[in-house]
Amino acid sequence: MLKTAAQEQLLPGESLQEKWEFAQNAGYGAIELRAKGDLHFASRLPELKQALKDGVIMPTVCVEMLHFFGAFDDELRRDALAQMKSQLTVIAEIGGLGAQTPASYGMFSRRLPPFEPPRTEEQDREVLLAGLAELGEHARKEGVTLFLEPLNRYEDHMVNRLEQAADLIRETGLDSVKIGIDSYHMNIEESDPAASILANADYIGHAQVSDSNRFQPGAGHLDWPAWLGALHAIGYDGYLAAECRLTGEPVDAVRSIPAFLKRSGA
């Protein structure tokens, strides 16, 4: 049976300990953390260590920043690399598995005007490979994993499908870089999400879940039995981390996710 996690902002409670109590009662097995820029995640280390001591399970962290390692601006790109290295170090210090990041978000889309980004595809690839190599090597030294998340075409113009992420990861030659899949983005970009999971099985390291409309699983039209069945077929034993918006009463919505996923095949 696959394990479920909820991102911390979805859970009611003032502290991680309070959130964890709710999460356990709702059927979750972990909390996925969120990491802002400006080394904010590192400043939380005392809080995180205390939560760990109190039994809170926090295997992964997902970035919550305005720029990423594929940024056009050199200074922003260097800052994103520094932020991600710090986040990888912190998640390692609390015994976690790794950190998830896209290549970019909201920076450019070939699907909307002006259509042509300022870098060529070859230049994009060079930047991405350099960033993945630097972050992947840091992750390897820390004993954790960098999860590269493909985003849909309207949010990123460089890495949209699992096969694109797998191609980049293969070229880095690092086992410390894996794909962090997201059911919402896959619903937009993959012609057959389940088949894509099977085809890229060797590179999948983490999974985030939300439905076709970005609301909680069960609120849209994604084929959950097929998607979850593909994860079962490849032997995925990681967490299904809820990263979604909530429709309806928020507490009831977040409470519904583990039970829905279980009914759907998790």
Side-chain angles (χ1 to χ4, degrees), residues 185-251:
H185 298 296
M186 291 183 68
N187 172 70
I188 296 172
E189 292 299 331
E190 306 290 348
S191 58
D192 186 337
S196 183
I197 288 173
L198 297 177
N200 297 283
D202 291 345
Y203 298 97
I204 294 174
H206 185 49
Q208 293 179 333
V209 293
S210 63
D211 220 312
S212 56
N213 49 13
R214 206 37 158 169
F215 288 127
Q216 71 269 17
H221 58 69
L222 198 146
D223 186 348
W224 288 103
W227 198 83
L228 294 168
L231 286 178
H232 274 298
I234 68 171
Y236 177 75
D237 60 358
Y239 287 92
L240 301 174
E243 183 192 39
C244 58
R245 300 185 181 96
L246 301 173
T247 183
E249 202 286 315
V251 171

Side-chain angles (χ1 to χ4, degrees), residues 8-9 13-20 31 33-36 40-58 90 94:
E8 58 180 308
Q9 77 279 3
E14 294 299 317
S15 66
L16 284 170
Q17 289 85 343
E18 290 176 3
K19 292 174 182 290
W20 178 231
I31 294 177
L33 301 167
R34 296 277 288 196
K36 300 176 183 178
H40 179 263
F41 195 53
S43 74
R44 294 181 62 188
L45 194 52
E47 169 203 0
L48 299 176
K49 285 186 173 180
Q50 184 59 54
L52 182 65
K53 185 178 180 181
D54 292 336
V56 182
I57 298 175
M58 303 166 287
V90 171
I94 61 171

Side-chain angles (χ1 to χ4, degrees), residues 90-121:
V90 171
I91 201 68
E93 285 196 52
I94 61 171
L97 302 174
Q100 178 141 328
T101 182
S104 72
Y105 169 77
M107 188 171 79
F108 202 91
S109 171
R110 292 181 185 275
R111 304 294 175 170
L112 299 169
F115 297 116
E116 282 302 320
R119 279 193 315 236
T120 65
E121 290 187 26

